Structure formats: C-alpha cells, structure tokens
Amino acid sequence: TPLGFVIGTGLESLMHQSYGRVFEGFFDALAAGTFLYVAIVEIIAKEFADRRAIPAKYLALCLGLLMMALIALWT
C-alpha cells in the first residue's frame, strides 16, 4: 500500500491535470471494486449460509448498499 501510494502520487504529479483526474478515478474504482468483491465473495456468502436472522441480514445489506449509493452521489 505505501509503495502504491508513492507511485500513484508520483505519476499523478507528472501527468497533466485532466489525465491525473482520470488516473485517480480509475484506481479509486479499482479499489472500490476490490472491496466489493471481497465483501460479496468472502463475507456476505458466509453470513447468508447461516440461516439465522435472515430478514435482519437482508435489511442490513440493503441499508449498506443504499448508503454506498448515496455517498457515491454525494461525492
């Protein structure tokens, strides 16, 4: 992570302003996709395998997705 931060910061400073924004957006999307993949494959699947409190789990999942969507619209 620190090495990626240093490389990303260095490349962004070398690029023109508009290309730097595209570069930053691409890697932000890549990081968000990685977090979503881990959540879906590793965490959510195991949680829903346990059949206890399914309605509460669906509610928490939907609220979490809604919060992520609102944050994406806000930023």
Side-chain angles (χ1 to χ4, degrees), residues 13-25:
S13 67
L14 293 175
M15 295 180 172
H16 297 293
Q17 187 65 14
S18 62
Y19 291 119
R21 301 276 300 169
V22 171
F23 182 76
E24 180 183 359

Side-chain angles (χ1 to χ4, degrees), residues 2 15 20-21 34-35 50 53 57-59 61 67-68 71:
M15 295 180 172
R21 301 276 300 169
T34 302
F35 284 124
D50 181 10
K57 291 177 183 180
Y58 275 117
L59 178 64
L61 177 64
M67 286 177 53
M68 287 192 313
I71 290 170

Side-chain angles (χ1 to χ4, degrees), residues 1-66:
T1 302
L3 181 60
F5 174 77
V6 169
I7 292 171
T9 303
L11 287 175
E12 184 179 7
S13 67
L14 293 175
M15 295 180 172
H16 297 293
Q17 187 65 14
S18 62
Y19 291 119
R21 301 276 300 169
V22 171
F23 182 76
E24 180 183 359
F26 173 78
F27 283 103
D28 284 349
L30 185 65
T34 302
F35 284 124
L36 287 173
Y37 174 79
V38 168
I40 290 169
V41 172
E42 296 292 328
I43 299 169
I44 294 173
K46 289 179 184 174
E47 282 298 317
F48 280 96
D50 181 10
R51 305 307 274 171
R52 293 178 291 169
I54 291 291
K57 291 177 183 180
Y58 275 117
L59 178 64
L61 177 64
C62 290
L63 287 175
L65 292 173
L66 178 65

